[in-house]
Amino acid sequence: MSVESPMRIAVFVSGTGSNLESLFESFEGSSTAEIALVLADREAPGLDRARRRDVIAGVIDHADEAAIIELLESHQIDWVVLAGYLRRIPSEVVARYPNHILNIHPALLPQFGGKGMYGHRVHQAVLAAGESESGVTVHLVDDEYDHGPIVAQRKVPIEPDDTPETLAARVLAVEHQLLPEVVRAATEGRIHVEDREAWIEEAAGRSS
Ligand code: GRF
């Protein structure tokens, strides 16, 4: 029986790295997937989370598509995950990893997304719009911010007295659950895309 080598994941961060942390915890001891590389567009706490685990980590020039591709290829990366990464991925990198780059966004896309919509601003806009619920989106990355096919979404209730901070915390807790689920599906080959529609095939043996 051939023992397949684990799928190798690169995670891009720009900040705290709490989503990266939930990925590390989720794949701890996994034989089917591993976080092999953590990159950031600046020195960020997320890089230290990787260094503490002896995972290769470093700062990149976010616009240097050749260097990014060289890094990903030389580390035999299969999947790229953007976890709080604030830069647009160069088109050449997207083309090199078609439908193999995932991003997590703290709102129900296609609303409340796009250039400049990140962090506090997202939750402020959702509350200002008088929404009754927000949520988390994980999508495949294309050449535009927060625009590729949506793979999974999970709703989050809005409380009457919510501030952007209280809403952000409630959304982040759901991010930490949804992202590992989607990345696991990705590494198990259970994400399917047709035209601009994407979906997750349930794991075999799980009751639907
Ligand atoms: C998260 O809310 C994520 O959805 C957004 O940026 C934040 C990153 O948080 N893209 P962290 O760095 O993973 O803690």
Side-chain angles (χ1 to χ4, degrees):
M1 178 185 79
S2 70
V3 179
E4 289 183 23
S5 55
M7 297 298 273
R8 294 170 61 83
I9 303 162
V11 182
F12 286 47
V13 299
S14 291
T16 319
S18 70
N19 275 289
L20 170 65
E21 189 68 31
S22 62
L23 289 173
F24 273 132
E25 288 165 9
S26 174
F27 286 98
E28 191 89 45
S30 167
S31 59
T32 57
E34 62 182 336
I35 297 169
L37 180 64
V38 176
L39 300 175
D41 59 317
R42 67 199 78 180
E43 189 49 50
L47 293 178
D48 291 328
R49 293 179 190 275
R51 294 172 180 137
R52 282 200 291 274
R53 288 178 169 80
D54 294 325
V55 171
I56 299 168
V59 179
I60 52 163
D61 171 352
H62 68 275
D64 186 345
E65 70 279 354
I68 292 170
I69 291 173
E70 161 59 25
L71 258 176
L72 295 174
E73 289 183 337
S74 61
H75 288 84
Q76 296 87 36
I77 296 302
D78 300 294
W79 280 89
V80 176
V81 178
L82 311 185
Y85 187 66
L86 298 178
R87 304 287 188 167
R88 198 176 58 77
I89 295 293
S91 305
E92 297 83 352
V93 179
V94 174
R96 171 63 184 78
Y97 290 90
N99 291 328
H100 274 66
I101 306 176
L102 291 163
N103 180 49
I104 185 163
H105 183 75
L108 294 173
L109 294 176
Q111 289 187 297
F112 308 110
K115 187 171 172 54
M117 286 301 280
Y118 57 86
H120 184 273
R121 295 179 188 171
V122 174
H123 307 296
Q124 205 163 30
V126 168
L127 293 174
E131 299 293 331
S132 60
E133 60 189 11
S134 188
V136 178
T137 302
V138 180
H139 65 93
L140 290 164
V141 170
D142 63 12
D143 291 343
E144 297 174 46
Y145 283 103
D146 304 328
H147 180 261
I150 291 173
V151 175
Q153 291 189 303
R154 193 155 293 166
K155 290 181 178 176
V156 174
I158 290 177
E159 307 298 342
D161 56 350
D162 262 331
T163 64
E165 290 71 24
T166 58
L167 178 56
R170 194 174 308 118
V171 169
L172 193 59
V174 175
E175 292 181 53
H176 293 165
Q177 295 163 358
L178 185 60
L179 187 58
E181 286 176 30
V182 176
V183 174
R184 182 171 303 285
T187 60
E188 293 172 355
R190 291 190 286 112
I191 290 184
H192 302 292
V193 192
E194 251 171 50
D195 300 327
R196 288 192 52 77
E197 292 294 316
W199 69 93
I200 295 178
E201 171 195 342
E202 281 308 308
R206 278 208 2 217
S207 57
S208 57

